[in-house]
Amino acid sequence: MANVGGLQLLPETRKRIEVNIPGENRMLRIGVILCIIIALISGGLFWYRNSLSQKLANADQDLTALEGQRNKKGEENLLTLHRQIDLISQLLKNHLYWSIGFSKVESLLQSNVQFKSISSNVSDATFAFRATANDYPTLAKQLAAFVADNSVKDVSLGGVTVLTNGKLDFSARIQFNPTEFLKAK
């Protein structure tokens, strides 16, 4: 009965009718793609956070191991030694060297002048002496040599007496600058 007189009343196969509406699945696809991207980013961030946490834990373990290897008594001794060296260096920096002052006096001393006695006082910054000279010009040259030195502030001549052998006995006092006269440069 499917085909009566060339007319077909019932279809032999059923056909499905599909209606396509443009853009119907587009938002759904975009939503699924965004969800996948967000899931991938959050998974990556989760993995990165775990990686950083592991690195932090490893660094903490290494630091704890280093802390256990420290010699605290030795460190304390080193700090004490450092403080002592600082104190000694300050002491040496401010140290007065009489050998420098004596060598300066020796370099300024005339060949015909001989010391009989010397005394010095750092707090007054003075160097006093008693000496003999052959004659007055030698005495004048000696005083001029002391005055010409820039580490000497002032020179004062005490008494001058003539000895029986013709030499002059005199006393002098030198006022000096301690930083230039006694300290190493």
Side-chain angles (χ1 to χ4, degrees):
M1 190 168 182
N3 194 358
V4 176
L7 183 63
Q8 183 178 4
L9 297 176
L10 291 175
E12 285 183 21
T13 59
R14 291 183 155 187
K15 290 189 177 180
R16 188 173 171 184
I17 300 174
E18 291 184 27
V19 178
N20 285 336
I21 300 173
E24 173 186 318
N25 296 332
R26 181 189 223 179
M27 292 304 268
L28 182 64
R29 288 179 187 161
I30 290 174
V32 168
I33 290 173
L34 284 176
C35 286
I36 291 172
I37 290 173
I38 290 172
L40 288 176
I41 290 174
S42 62
L45 289 175
F46 180 75
W47 175 80
Y48 184 66
R49 186 187 76 190
N50 287 341
S51 170
L52 288 179
S53 296
Q54 184 63 32
K55 286 180 184 178
L56 182 63
N58 289 341
D60 192 34
Q61 288 175 353
D62 291 344
L63 196 62
T64 304
L66 282 175
E67 183 70 26
Q69 293 174 355
R70 283 179 52 194
N71 182 355
K72 293 184 181 184
K73 182 69 174 170
E75 288 176 10
E76 188 176 311
N77 290 339
L78 285 175
L79 286 173
T80 303
L81 178 66
H82 179 67
R83 284 187 221 114
Q84 289 172 345
I85 287 173
D86 283 345
L87 288 173
I88 289 173
S89 66
Q90 287 297 322
L91 181 67
L92 289 176
K93 182 180 175 185
N94 296 327
H95 182 69
L96 300 176
Y97 295 96
W98 277 105
S99 58
I100 294 172
F102 289 138
S103 66
K104 188 169 290 250
V105 168
E106 180 185 10
S107 69
L108 297 173
L109 195 62
Q110 297 292 314
S111 61
N112 295 329
V113 175
Q114 295 177 345
F115 284 133
K116 286 184 169 183
S117 66
I118 58 173
S119 66
S120 61
N121 189 341
V122 176
S123 61
D124 292 341
T126 59
F127 183 82
F129 61 92
R130 185 167 187 86
T132 60
N134 285 349
D135 51 17
Y136 283 106
T138 303
L139 176 60
K141 286 178 186 176
Q142 182 60 62
L143 294 177
F146 286 138
V147 169
D149 189 63
N150 41 343
S151 64
V152 175
K153 291 181 182 177
D154 188 28
V155 176
S156 59
L157 181 62
V160 178
T161 57
V162 179
L163 298 175
T164 57
N165 60 3
K167 293 188 175 190
L168 300 174
D169 184 42
F170 68 97
S171 62
R173 185 171 177 251
I174 299 172
Q175 183 84 28
F176 59 86
N177 184 354
T179 57
E180 293 182 20
F181 193 75
L182 297 176
K183 286 193 178 179
K185 294 180 181 176

